[in-house]
Amino acid sequence: MNTSTPWRTRRTVILPMALAMLLTGLAIPGAQAQIPVPAPAPKPVIVSGTVPDEATRVAVVSRLREIYGAERVVDQLALGAVVAPPQWSQYVGKLLSPSLKQVNHGQLSVQGQTVHLQGEVGNEAQRQQLAAEMAQSLNPTYSVRNGLRVAAREQSLVDQALANRTVEFEPGSAVLKPAGQLILNEMAAALLQLRGRRVALIGHTDALGARPANVSLSLARAQAVKDYLMAKGLPADSLSTSGMGPDQPVASNATEEGRARNRRIEFRVGA
């Protein structure tokens, strides 16, 4: 009779970002591990629970220190008579990805070969990307259930401030028009309320002209908006820029009205 304890570990990792992660077993029935994680404050990362061997403990703790910094990780893991599936620590290392720092108030559970990711992210693109990255990092026998949701409150605050208006620039340039500056004054006030959340500034153009030139122009305009917002007190590391050129229109490029709507700056709230 096999008297060894089934692999049943309980790990709790309290991470400094507003991410709560719960790992609940891996590869075999009954395997459990927990990693809850609190709010975005400079709090310690506490790792607790029972693991099968020293190598597993070192792998988990080292990975967390890699992501959050050695000074923040408090190791409270214990060793016990538990049975881990093959390559368990490698899979955990892949799941403990820096991308998880984009998740707020979240939970990651792994039960058998099912991974369930919950929590809040800043936008739909992040929601899909995180689940896809997990699926790609695991054995094909695993399935990933994406329970992430978009944090609507912050994005709604920004959308209301923009109020369907377009930040205007001088034709063919990244020089803001006075009307565009007035809108950005209001946007700066709204963004300052987000308390450290990152905001992606994404430039878009209409489809007239060569695409490479439009992509460059859209990026230059996003950078001009970032510079203006920084002058209003927004920290540089809270703002990122990208240029999509004409690739993501919101209206038809066949009319001047449609092209005007496509020439825009998108403000996308992240974690």
Side-chain angles (χ1 to χ4, degrees):
M1 178 177 177
N2 183 3
T3 59
S4 65
T5 305
W7 189 64
R8 185 176 181 80
T9 67
R10 295 186 65 81
R11 324 178 165 213
T12 301
V13 179
I14 299 179
L15 305 183
M17 307 303 287
L19 164 70
M21 185 172 70
L22 171 68
L23 274 102
T24 323
L26 202 34
I28 57 173
Q32 292 188 1
Q34 291 185 345
I35 307 185
V37 191
K43 295 182 179 180
V45 177
I46 302 173
V47 192
S48 65
T50 304
V51 293
D53 51 52
E54 179 65 12
T56 300
R57 186 194 69 79
V58 170
V60 172
V61 174
S62 298
R63 182 59 177 159
L64 289 166
R65 286 176 173 165
E66 212 178 295
I67 296 171
Y68 292 96
E71 70 285 351
R72 284 182 145 178
V73 177
V74 179
D75 177 14
Q76 297 181 356
L77 285 174
L79 304 183
V82 292
V83 179
Q87 298 182 318
W88 183 85
S89 61
Q90 288 93 324
Y91 280 122
V92 171
K94 291 177 180 179
L95 290 172
L96 294 176
S97 159
S99 297
L100 288 173
K101 293 196 289 184
Q102 300 176 83
V103 181
N104 294 294
H105 312 295
Q107 188 174 83
L108 170 65
S109 68
V110 182
Q111 182 64 53
Q113 293 175 309
T114 300
V115 179
H116 192 191
L117 182 60
Q118 298 173 283
E120 293 183 353
V121 290
N123 54 68
E124 179 62 21
Q126 284 184 345
R127 193 186 77 82
Q128 296 185 23
Q129 182 181 3
L130 280 165
E133 287 179 359
M134 282 194 166
Q136 291 168 8
S137 71
L138 296 170
N139 185 292
T141 59
Y142 285 80
S143 62
V144 177
R145 296 179 179 174
N146 187 357
L148 293 173
R149 61 187 180 277
V150 176
R153 186 183 67 82
E154 291 88 349
Q155 187 65 56
S156 177
L157 177 68
V158 172
D159 292 343
Q160 288 174 14
L162 188 57
N164 292 319
R165 295 174 295 176
T166 301
V167 179
E168 296 183 20
F169 296 83
E170 296 296 335
S173 80
V175 176
L176 284 159
K177 286 186 174 181
Q181 294 178 353
L182 290 176
I183 292 175
L184 290 182
N185 291 341
E186 296 177 33
M187 295 303 297
L191 295 175
L192 285 168
Q193 298 180 46
L194 299 185
R195 298 183 180 181
R197 296 292 292 272
R198 289 181 58 81
V199 177
L201 308 173
I202 307 170
H204 302 270
T205 67
D206 60 33
L208 296 182
R211 181 182 178 278
N214 281 329
V215 171
S216 296
L217 178 59
S218 64
L219 178 59
R221 287 178 168 175
Q223 185 62 49
V225 169
K226 178 177 180 177
D227 293 342
Y228 191 90
L229 293 174
M230 286 169 54
K232 294 296 180 180
L234 272 295
D237 60 2
S238 71
L239 303 170
S240 64
T241 59
S242 60
M244 301 304 298
D247 294 345
Q248 296 181 357
V250 293
S252 171
N253 280 295
T255 66
E256 176 51 39
E257 180 183 358
R259 291 191 293 272
R261 289 180 59 195
N262 290 333
R263 298 190 294 267
R264 69 196 191 280
I265 297 293
E266 180 182 355
F267 298 79
R268 185 181 294 174
V269 180

